[in-house]
Amino acid sequence: SQQGEEDPQALSIQEGENATMNCSYKTSINNLQWYRQNSGRGLVHLILIRSNEREKHSGRLRVTLDTSKKSSSLLITASRAADTASYFCAWSGGSNYKLTFGKGTLLTVNP
Amino acid sequence: DGGITQSPKYLFRKEGQNVTLSCEQNLNHDAMYWYRQDPGQGLRLIYYSQIVNDFQKGDIAEGYSVSREKKESFPLTVTSAQKNPTAFYLCASTSGGLTGELFFGEGSRLTVL
């Protein structure tokens, strides 16, 4: 399968805590992206990190990329109940240039 | 407002029927995509189109067909040959080539009765 893995599959935290989600992939990549999906809705792009970047920030989001380990992590700091959603990583590269999506992490932030 | 519009949001189909899902974008994007999402799963690529009058099969194209006669429109037909069509279907577009940021519609949920 071209799909990698995300862990954990589900994460439940309290408001104000930090949430970390991990993504592993199997091929060499051009870039890796993170998306958010509220239940029953479309996906929304959060952040893109290129293969030559190691870390990127956007507001309360911090993404790291370790190409030697073929892994990425998404950190959401000071979480809010509104952050409750599924988070997906997606990568492009290898023998094609299509985006391949992971299976996602369901984050629940309890008020 | 620019965006992607998918319709219908909910669709019920009897076995043996073809159904067509609509996807329209006013973002002036060249590339458009169709993905399928099953419960608790990631997205799987059905078809994509980089330019008008051209499209390519994705990873799970069997039982589906598409057309790209206009830049703004990329309809997906779920045919009776698709053995397990009940799923959530997502349309997306990008201006950034095949690996740029994707903009998604709100999805269409198809249920086969």
mmCIF file of all heavy atoms in Angstrom, chain A residues 43-86:
data_model
loop_
_atom_site.group_PDB
_atom_site.id
_atom_site.type_symbol
_atom_site.label_atom_id
_atom_site.label_comp_id
_atom_site.label_asym_id
_atom_site.label_seq_id
_atom_site.Cartn_x
_atom_site.Cartn_y
_atom_site.Cartn_z
ATOM 1 N N LEU A 43 -12.221 18.820 3.443
ATOM 2 C CA LEU A 43 -10.941 19.054 4.104
ATOM 3 C C LEU A 43 -10.495 20.497 3.894
ATOM 4 O O LEU A 43 -10.771 21.104 2.858
ATOM 5 C CB LEU A 43 -9.868 18.114 3.554
ATOM 6 C CG LEU A 43 -9.850 16.701 4.116
ATOM 7 C CD1 LEU A 43 -11.034 15.889 3.634
ATOM 8 C CD2 LEU A 43 -8.544 16.009 3.759
ATOM 9 N N VAL A 44 -9.777 20.999 4.889
ATOM 10 C CA VAL A 44 -9.220 22.339 4.809
ATOM 11 C C VAL A 44 -7.714 22.241 4.968
ATOM 12 O O VAL A 44 -7.213 21.597 5.895
ATOM 13 C CB VAL A 44 -9.818 23.244 5.913
ATOM 14 C CG1 VAL A 44 -9.133 24.611 5.893
ATOM 15 C CG2 VAL A 44 -11.314 23.392 5.728
ATOM 16 N N HIS A 45 -6.997 22.888 4.061
ATOM 17 C CA HIS A 45 -5.540 22.852 4.100
ATOM 18 C C HIS A 45 -5.019 23.656 5.291
ATOM 19 O O HIS A 45 -5.480 24.775 5.553
ATOM 20 C CB HIS A 45 -4.985 23.436 2.803
ATOM 21 C CG HIS A 45 -3.500 23.418 2.710
ATOM 22 N ND1 HIS A 45 -2.723 24.499 3.056
ATOM 23 C CD2 HIS A 45 -2.642 22.442 2.334
ATOM 24 C CE1 HIS A 45 -1.449 24.184 2.870
ATOM 25 N NE2 HIS A 45 -1.383 22.951 2.437
ATOM 26 N N LEU A 46 -4.054 23.080 6.021
ATOM 27 C CA LEU A 46 -3.467 23.770 7.162
ATOM 28 C C LEU A 46 -2.073 24.301 6.854
ATOM 29 O O LEU A 46 -1.771 25.465 7.094
ATOM 30 C CB LEU A 46 -3.388 22.820 8.363
ATOM 31 C CG LEU A 46 -4.717 22.334 8.942
ATOM 32 C CD1 LEU A 46 -4.456 21.328 10.052
ATOM 33 C CD2 LEU A 46 -5.547 23.505 9.440
ATOM 34 N N ILE A 47 -1.223 23.423 6.349
ATOM 35 C CA ILE A 47 0.177 23.814 6.201
ATOM 36 C C ILE A 47 0.882 22.859 5.240
ATOM 37 O O ILE A 47 0.520 21.689 5.151
ATOM 38 C CB ILE A 47 0.854 23.829 7.590
ATOM 39 C CG1 ILE A 47 2.167 24.611 7.569
ATOM 40 C CG2 ILE A 47 1.029 22.430 8.133
ATOM 41 C CD1 ILE A 47 2.668 24.954 8.966
ATOM 42 N N LEU A 48 1.848 23.376 4.516
ATOM 43 C CA LEU A 48 2.656 22.578 3.589
ATOM 44 C C LEU A 48 4.112 22.742 3.966
ATOM 45 O O LEU A 48 4.570 23.873 4.216
ATOM 46 C CB LEU A 48 2.427 23.040 2.153
ATOM 47 C CG LEU A 48 3.177 22.320 1.018
ATOM 48 C CD1 LEU A 48 2.355 22.412 -0.273
ATOM 49 C CD2 LEU A 48 4.571 22.892 0.779
ATOM 50 N N ILE A 49 4.848 21.641 4.046
ATOM 51 C CA ILE A 49 6.276 21.694 4.322
ATOM 52 C C ILE A 49 7.012 20.983 3.200
ATOM 53 O O ILE A 49 6.630 19.880 2.795
ATOM 54 C CB ILE A 49 6.591 21.101 5.721
ATOM 55 C CG1 ILE A 49 8.076 21.302 6.051
ATOM 56 C CG2 ILE A 49 6.187 19.645 5.831
ATOM 57 C CD1 ILE A 49 8.388 21.066 7.538
ATOM 58 N N ARG A 50 8.020 21.623 2.671
ATOM 59 C CA ARG A 50 8.760 21.045 1.545
ATOM 60 C C ARG A 50 9.829 20.094 2.053
ATOM 61 O O ARG A 50 10.255 20.157 3.210
ATOM 62 C CB ARG A 50 9.372 22.165 0.707
ATOM 63 C CG ARG A 50 8.333 23.124 0.181
ATOM 64 C CD ARG A 50 8.840 24.055 -0.894
ATOM 65 N NE ARG A 50 7.833 25.053 -1.226
ATOM 66 C CZ ARG A 50 6.763 24.802 -1.969
ATOM 67 N NH1 ARG A 50 6.566 23.611 -2.461
ATOM 68 N NH2 ARG A 50 5.897 25.765 -2.227
ATOM 69 N N SER A 51 10.306 19.255 1.175
ATOM 70 C CA SER A 51 11.238 18.202 1.588
ATOM 71 C C SER A 51 12.563 18.760 2.102
ATOM 72 O O SER A 51 13.269 18.083 2.854
ATOM 73 C CB SER A 51 11.505 17.240 0.431
ATOM 74 O OG SER A 51 12.050 17.933 -0.672
ATOM 75 N N ASN A 52 12.893 20.004 1.726
ATOM 76 C CA ASN A 52 14.147 20.589 2.199
ATOM 77 C C ASN A 52 13.949 21.454 3.447
ATOM 78 O O ASN A 52 14.875 22.131 3.893
ATOM 79 C CB ASN A 52 14.808 21.418 1.094
ATOM 80 C CG ASN A 52 13.938 22.564 0.632
ATOM 81 O OD1 ASN A 52 12.788 22.691 1.040
ATOM 82 N ND2 ASN A 52 14.493 23.398 -0.228
ATOM 83 N N GLU A 53 12.749 21.432 4.006
ATOM 84 C CA GLU A 53 12.466 22.160 5.239
ATOM 85 C C GLU A 53 12.364 21.176 6.392
ATOM 86 O O GLU A 53 11.947 20.030 6.206
ATOM 87 C CB GLU A 53 11.164 22.959 5.102
ATOM 88 C CG GLU A 53 11.224 24.035 4.019
ATOM 89 C CD GLU A 53 9.900 24.746 3.829
ATOM 90 O OE1 GLU A 53 8.868 24.050 3.686
ATOM 91 O OE2 GLU A 53 9.903 25.995 3.821
ATOM 92 N N ARG A 54 12.692 21.622 7.577
ATOM 93 C CA ARG A 54 12.642 20.748 8.751
ATOM 94 C C ARG A 54 11.543 21.136 9.719
ATOM 95 O O ARG A 54 11.051 20.299 10.483
ATOM 96 C CB ARG A 54 13.998 20.769 9.468
ATOM 97 C CG ARG A 54 15.089 20.110 8.670
ATOM 98 C CD ARG A 54 14.811 18.634 8.469
ATOM 99 N NE ARG A 54 15.698 18.037 7.480
ATOM 100 C CZ ARG A 54 15.327 17.799 6.224
ATOM 101 N NH1 ARG A 54 14.095 18.098 5.804
ATOM 102 N NH2 ARG A 54 16.168 17.254 5.375
ATOM 103 N N GLU A 55 11.167 22.401 9.686
ATOM 104 C CA GLU A 55 10.152 22.849 10.630
ATOM 105 C C GLU A 55 9.420 24.049 10.018
ATOM 106 O O GLU A 55 10.012 24.847 9.294
ATOM 107 C CB GLU A 55 10.801 23.258 11.956
ATOM 108 C CG GLU A 55 9.850 23.580 13.062
ATOM 109 C CD GLU A 55 10.567 23.746 14.395
ATOM 110 O OE1 GLU A 55 11.375 22.859 14.746
ATOM 111 O OE2 GLU A 55 10.313 24.754 15.070
ATOM 112 N N LYS A 56 8.126 24.132 10.330
ATOM 113 C CA LYS A 56 7.342 25.257 9.845
ATOM 114 C C LYS A 56 6.267 25.593 10.867
ATOM 115 O O LYS A 56 5.728 24.693 11.532
ATOM 116 C CB LYS A 56 6.700 24.911 8.503
ATOM 117 C CG LYS A 56 6.361 26.117 7.660
ATOM 118 C CD LYS A 56 6.173 25.692 6.221
ATOM 119 C CE LYS A 56 5.915 26.895 5.342
ATOM 120 N NZ LYS A 56 5.740 26.535 3.937
ATOM 121 N N HIS A 57 5.973 26.876 11.004
ATOM 122 C CA HIS A 57 4.989 27.320 11.980
ATOM 123 C C HIS A 57 3.886 28.091 11.269
ATOM 124 O O HIS A 57 4.121 28.776 10.265
ATOM 125 C CB HIS A 57 5.643 28.248 13.006
ATOM 126 C CG HIS A 57 6.688 27.596 13.837
ATOM 127 N ND1 HIS A 57 6.497 27.236 15.156
ATOM 128 C CD2 HIS A 57 7.953 27.216 13.528
ATOM 129 C CE1 HIS A 57 7.607 26.695 15.625
ATOM 130 N NE2 HIS A 57 8.505 26.666 14.667
ATOM 131 N N SER A 58 2.673 27.978 11.829
ATOM 132 C CA SER A 58 1.560 28.786 11.370
ATOM 133 C C SER A 58 0.611 28.959 12.539
ATOM 134 O O SER A 58 -0.111 28.033 12.909
ATOM 135 C CB SER A 58 0.841 28.115 10.195
ATOM 136 O OG SER A 58 -0.279 28.881 9.792
ATOM 137 N N GLY A 59 0.652 30.132 13.161
ATOM 138 C CA GLY A 59 -0.190 30.364 14.327
ATOM 139 C C GLY A 59 0.126 29.372 15.436
ATOM 140 O O GLY A 59 1.274 29.258 15.876
ATOM 141 N N ARG A 60 -0.878 28.608 15.870
ATOM 142 C CA ARG A 60 -0.673 27.611 16.933
ATOM 143 C C ARG A 60 -0.201 26.276 16.403
ATOM 144 O O ARG A 60 -0.102 25.302 17.145
ATOM 145 C CB ARG A 60 -1.990 27.423 17.707
ATOM 146 C CG ARG A 60 -2.429 28.653 18.491
ATOM 147 C CD ARG A 60 -3.682 28.372 19.326
ATOM 148 N NE ARG A 60 -4.840 28.085 18.482
ATOM 149 C CZ ARG A 60 -5.437 26.904 18.428
ATOM 150 N NH1 ARG A 60 -5.011 25.894 19.157
ATOM 151 N NH2 ARG A 60 -6.495 26.743 17.659
ATOM 152 N N LEU A 61 0.057 26.188 15.119
ATOM 153 C CA LEU A 61 0.493 24.945 14.496
ATOM 154 C C LEU A 61 2.003 24.939 14.293
ATOM 155 O O LEU A 61 2.599 25.937 13.897
ATOM 156 C CB LEU A 61 -0.179 24.761 13.134
ATOM 157 C CG LEU A 61 -1.689 24.819 13.061
ATOM 158 C CD1 LEU A 61 -2.145 24.606 11.630
ATOM 159 C CD2 LEU A 61 -2.321 23.813 14.000
ATOM 160 N N ARG A 62 2.595 23.772 14.593
ATOM 161 C CA ARG A 62 4.012 23.580 14.308
ATOM 162 C C ARG A 62 4.153 22.227 13.636
ATOM 163 O O ARG A 62 3.697 21.211 14.157
ATOM 164 C CB ARG A 62 4.832 23.627 15.592
ATOM 165 C CG ARG A 62 6.297 23.252 15.409
ATOM 166 C CD ARG A 62 7.044 23.361 16.729
ATOM 167 N NE ARG A 62 8.377 22.774 16.635
ATOM 168 C CZ ARG A 62 8.755 21.662 17.271
ATOM 169 N NH1 ARG A 62 7.904 21.021 18.048
ATOM 170 N NH2 ARG A 62 9.980 21.207 17.130
ATOM 171 N N VAL A 63 4.771 22.219 12.490
ATOM 172 C CA VAL A 63 4.984 20.979 11.748
ATOM 173 C C VAL A 63 6.479 20.725 11.634
ATOM 174 O O VAL A 63 7.253 21.642 11.359
ATOM 175 C CB VAL A 63 4.368 21.058 10.338
ATOM 176 C CG1 VAL A 63 4.822 19.890 9.474
ATOM 177 C CG2 VAL A 63 2.850 21.079 10.423
ATOM 178 N N THR A 64 6.872 19.492 11.870
ATOM 179 C CA THR A 64 8.259 19.088 11.658
ATOM 180 C C THR A 64 8.308 17.986 10.616
ATOM 181 O O THR A 64 7.329 17.247 10.411
ATOM 182 C CB THR A 64 8.905 18.594 12.954
ATOM 183 O OG1 THR A 64 8.177 17.460 13.428
ATOM 184 C CG2 THR A 64 8.916 19.686 14.009
ATOM 185 N N LEU A 65 9.416 17.882 9.956
ATOM 186 C CA LEU A 65 9.611 16.871 8.926
ATOM 187 C C LEU A 65 10.999 16.269 9.083
ATOM 188 O O LEU A 65 11.987 16.995 9.161
ATOM 189 C CB LEU A 65 9.477 17.485 7.533
ATOM 190 C CG LEU A 65 9.684 16.551 6.341
ATOM 191 C CD1 LEU A 65 8.613 15.470 6.317
ATOM 192 C CD2 LEU A 65 9.683 17.346 5.038
ATOM 193 N N ASP A 66 11.058 14.947 9.148
ATOM 194 C CA ASP A 66 12.328 14.229 9.218
ATOM 195 C C ASP A 66 12.353 13.261 8.039
ATOM 196 O O ASP A 66 11.783 12.167 8.110
ATOM 197 C CB ASP A 66 12.439 13.482 10.544
ATOM 198 C CG ASP A 66 13.809 12.847 10.736
ATOM 199 O OD1 ASP A 66 14.503 12.562 9.729
ATOM 200 O OD2 ASP A 66 14.201 12.620 11.886
ATOM 201 N N THR A 67 12.997 13.659 6.965
ATOM 202 C CA THR A 67 12.992 12.824 5.758
ATOM 203 C C THR A 67 13.827 11.559 5.943
ATOM 204 O O THR A 67 13.574 10.565 5.274
ATOM 205 C CB THR A 67 13.501 13.614 4.547
ATOM 206 O OG1 THR A 67 14.769 14.193 4.861
ATOM 207 C CG2 THR A 67 12.517 14.714 4.166
ATOM 208 N N SER A 68 14.783 11.584 6.866
ATOM 209 C CA SER A 68 15.588 10.372 7.092
ATOM 210 C C SER A 68 14.744 9.286 7.742
ATOM 211 O O SER A 68 14.962 8.097 7.523
ATOM 212 C CB SER A 68 16.807 10.700 7.951
ATOM 213 O OG SER A 68 16.410 11.073 9.260
ATOM 214 N N LYS A 69 13.776 9.695 8.549
ATOM 215 C CA LYS A 69 12.881 8.735 9.204
ATOM 216 C C LYS A 69 11.546 8.621 8.472
ATOM 217 O O LYS A 69 10.673 7.868 8.908
ATOM 218 C CB LYS A 69 12.628 9.157 10.650
ATOM 219 C CG LYS A 69 13.864 9.132 11.531
ATOM 220 C CD LYS A 69 13.522 9.533 12.960
ATOM 221 C CE LYS A 69 14.776 9.484 13.840
ATOM 222 N NZ LYS A 69 14.477 9.918 15.234
ATOM 223 N N LYS A 70 11.392 9.373 7.398
ATOM 224 C CA LYS A 70 10.133 9.397 6.643
ATOM 225 C C LYS A 70 8.958 9.644 7.598
ATOM 226 O O LYS A 70 7.993 8.856 7.660
ATOM 227 C CB LYS A 70 9.934 8.108 5.859
ATOM 228 C CG LYS A 70 10.916 7.946 4.687
ATOM 229 C CD LYS A 70 10.578 6.731 3.849
ATOM 230 C CE LYS A 70 11.329 6.728 2.524
ATOM 231 N NZ LYS A 70 12.783 6.793 2.665
ATOM 232 N N SER A 71 9.058 10.722 8.347
ATOM 233 C CA SER A 71 8.005 11.017 9.298
ATOM 234 C C SER A 71 7.827 12.519 9.461
ATOM 235 O O SER A 71 8.741 13.314 9.203
ATOM 236 C CB SER A 71 8.310 10.383 10.650
ATOM 237 O OG SER A 71 9.425 11.006 11.234
ATOM 238 N N SER A 72 6.620 12.884 9.892
ATOM 239 C CA SER A 72 6.281 14.268 10.152
ATOM 240 C C SER A 72 5.395 14.297 11.393
ATOM 241 O O SER A 72 4.726 13.309 11.716
ATOM 242 C CB SER A 72 5.526 14.860 8.962
ATOM 243 O OG SER A 72 5.075 16.178 9.248
ATOM 244 N N SER A 73 5.411 15.432 12.086
ATOM 245 C CA SER A 73 4.513 15.596 13.207
ATOM 246 C C SER A 73 3.839 16.948 13.128
ATOM 247 O O SER A 73 4.403 17.923 12.621
ATOM 248 C CB SER A 73 5.261 15.447 14.528
ATOM 249 O OG SER A 73 6.163 16.520 14.690
ATOM 250 N N LEU A 74 2.607 16.978 13.634
ATOM 251 C CA LEU A 74 1.827 18.205 13.733
ATOM 252 C C LEU A 74 1.552 18.455 15.203
ATOM 253 O O LEU A 74 0.986 17.594 15.882
ATOM 254 C CB LEU A 74 0.507 18.078 12.970
ATOM 255 C CG LEU A 74 -0.517 19.202 13.178
ATOM 256 C CD1 LEU A 74 -0.012 20.511 12.580
ATOM 257 C CD2 LEU A 74 -1.868 18.831 12.563
ATOM 258 N N LEU A 75 1.964 19.615 15.676
ATOM 259 C CA LEU A 75 1.722 20.014 17.051
ATOM 260 C C LEU A 75 0.735 21.165 17.048
ATOM 261 O O LEU A 75 0.948 22.164 16.353
ATOM 262 C CB LEU A 75 3.028 20.440 17.722
ATOM 263 C CG LEU A 75 2.908 21.156 19.079
ATOM 264 C CD1 LEU A 75 2.384 20.195 20.140
ATOM 265 C CD2 LEU A 75 4.254 21.744 19.494
ATOM 266 N N ILE A 76 -0.333 21.018 17.812
ATOM 267 C CA ILE A 76 -1.283 22.103 18.030
ATOM 268 C C ILE A 76 -1.115 22.541 19.480
ATOM 269 O O ILE A 76 -1.332 21.744 20.403
ATOM 270 C CB ILE A 76 -2.733 21.659 17.778
ATOM 271 C CG1 ILE A 76 -2.887 21.113 16.357
ATOM 272 C CG2 ILE A 76 -3.696 22.816 18.001
ATOM 273 C CD1 ILE A 76 -4.268 20.531 16.075
ATOM 274 N N THR A 77 -0.733 23.765 19.676
ATOM 275 C CA THR A 77 -0.525 24.246 21.033
ATOM 276 C C THR A 77 -1.788 24.908 21.578
ATOM 277 O O THR A 77 -2.625 25.403 20.819
ATOM 278 C CB THR A 77 0.635 25.261 21.085
ATOM 279 O OG1 THR A 77 0.306 26.374 20.226
ATOM 280 C CG2 THR A 77 1.929 24.620 20.598
ATOM 281 N N ALA A 78 -1.910 24.890 22.896
ATOM 282 C CA ALA A 78 -3.029 25.557 23.580
ATOM 283 C C ALA A 78 -4.351 25.223 22.898
ATOM 284 O O ALA A 78 -5.068 26.125 22.434
ATOM 285 C CB ALA A 78 -2.796 27.061 23.624
ATOM 286 N N SER A 79 -4.671 23.956 22.834
ATOM 287 C CA SER A 79 -5.827 23.513 22.061
ATOM 288 C C SER A 79 -7.133 24.091 22.589
ATOM 289 O O SER A 79 -7.264 24.426 23.774
ATOM 290 C CB SER A 79 -5.893 21.989 22.061
ATOM 291 O OG SER A 79 -6.098 21.524 23.367
ATOM 292 N N ARG A 80 -8.097 24.170 21.675
ATOM 293 C CA ARG A 80 -9.424 24.682 21.976
ATOM 294 C C ARG A 80 -10.454 23.654 21.560
ATOM 295 O O ARG A 80 -10.179 22.799 20.706
ATOM 296 C CB ARG A 80 -9.662 25.986 21.195
ATOM 297 C CG ARG A 80 -8.601 27.033 21.402
ATOM 298 C CD ARG A 80 -8.706 28.118 20.349
ATOM 299 N NE ARG A 80 -7.661 29.119 20.509
ATOM 300 C CZ ARG A 80 -7.358 30.048 19.593
ATOM 301 N NH1 ARG A 80 -8.056 30.102 18.463
ATOM 302 N NH2 ARG A 80 -6.390 30.909 19.814
ATOM 303 N N ALA A 81 -11.643 23.737 22.120
ATOM 304 C CA ALA A 81 -12.710 22.800 21.747
ATOM 305 C C ALA A 81 -12.965 22.845 20.240
ATOM 306 O O ALA A 81 -13.278 21.820 19.620
ATOM 307 C CB ALA A 81 -13.986 23.118 22.525
ATOM 308 N N ALA A 82 -12.794 24.014 19.641
ATOM 309 C CA ALA A 82 -13.015 24.165 18.198
ATOM 310 C C ALA A 82 -11.975 23.443 17.357
ATOM 311 O O ALA A 82 -12.151 23.302 16.136
ATOM 312 C CB ALA A 82 -13.036 25.649 17.836
ATOM 313 N N ASP A 83 -10.904 22.983 17.971
ATOM 314 C CA ASP A 83 -9.890 22.208 17.232
ATOM 315 C C ASP A 83 -10.330 20.761 17.034
ATOM 316 O O ASP A 83 -9.645 19.997 16.329
ATOM 317 C CB ASP A 83 -8.551 22.224 17.974
ATOM 318 C CG ASP A 83 -7.924 23.604 18.018
ATOM 319 O OD1 ASP A 83 -8.122 24.381 17.064
ATOM 320 O OD2 ASP A 83 -7.229 23.897 19.014
ATOM 321 N N THR A 84 -11.419 20.355 17.663
ATOM 322 C CA THR A 84 -11.919 18.989 17.506
ATOM 323 C C THR A 84 -12.213 18.711 16.045
ATOM 324 O O THR A 84 -13.026 19.399 15.416
ATOM 325 C CB THR A 84 -13.190 18.778 18.349
ATOM 326 O OG1 THR A 84 -12.855 18.874 19.731
ATOM 327 C CG2 THR A 84 -13.816 17.423 18.068
ATOM 328 N N ALA A 85 -11.526 17.710 15.495
ATOM 329 C CA ALA A 85 -11.622 17.396 14.065
ATOM 330 C C ALA A 85 -10.731 16.190 13.788
ATOM 331 O O ALA A 85 -10.009 15.721 14.664
ATOM 332 C CB ALA A 85 -11.169 18.579 13.219
ATOM 333 N N SER A 86 -10.767 15.739 12.542
ATOM 334 C CA SER A 86 -9.797 14.750 12.076
ATOM 335 C C SER A 86 -8.686 15.489 11.336
ATOM 336 O O SER A 86 -8.952 16.446 10.601
ATOM 337 C CB SER A 86 -10.450 13.732 11.146
ATOM 338 O OG SER A 86 -11.352 12.910 11.859
#
